[in-house]
Amino acid sequence: MPAPPTEPRASRLAGSQQRFFEALLQPQAGVPADVAGASEAQRLKRFSVYRNNVHASLAAAVAARFPVIERLVGDEFFRAMMQEKRQPAVRT
């Protein structure tokens, strides 16, 4: 009989979900270990498609919320700015 997990199931799930969320928004985080695939290349491809869909949906939501800004700066610039990593404000 296997030993019971040391961490409650809900806590493990919450941790897995948090790592997945962080990896969606931070490409440098890599592919979370919980993403399944026959090979590392397949895992990367699967997660990359999912990440791209999330980013496209977020970009569409921002464009829908700020249509005038998008028209003023142009679609290409608007989309490029959404790809930029947000830097935290420096307080002095």
Side-chain angles (χ1 to χ4, degrees):
M1 179 175 218
T6 57
E7 186 178 12
R9 182 178 293 175
S11 181
R12 288 192 315 269
L13 176 60
S16 177
Q17 290 171 331
Q18 182 64 35
R19 287 185 298 278
F20 192 86
F21 169 75
E22 289 170 358
L24 282 175
L25 300 180
Q26 300 172 4
Q28 69 277 10
V31 180
D34 298 329
V35 175
S39 67
E40 186 62 24
Q42 188 181 39
R43 290 177 66 245
L44 177 60
K45 183 177 179 179
R46 285 180 175 189
F47 194 71
S48 294
V49 167
Y50 193 85
R51 181 185 281 151
N52 186 56
N53 288 337
V54 167
H55 283 261
S57 296
L58 291 173
V62 171
R65 179 68 177 99
F66 300 101
V68 173
I69 302 298
E70 182 182 21
R71 282 193 302 264
L72 285 172
V73 300
D75 184 62
E76 185 177 346
F77 181 83
F78 192 79
R79 302 282 173 189
M81 286 299 95
M82 285 188 269
Q83 297 298 319
E84 288 295 313
K85 182 177 177 184
R86 183 171 179 255
Q87 297 296 321
V90 177
R91 296 184 184 189
T92 56

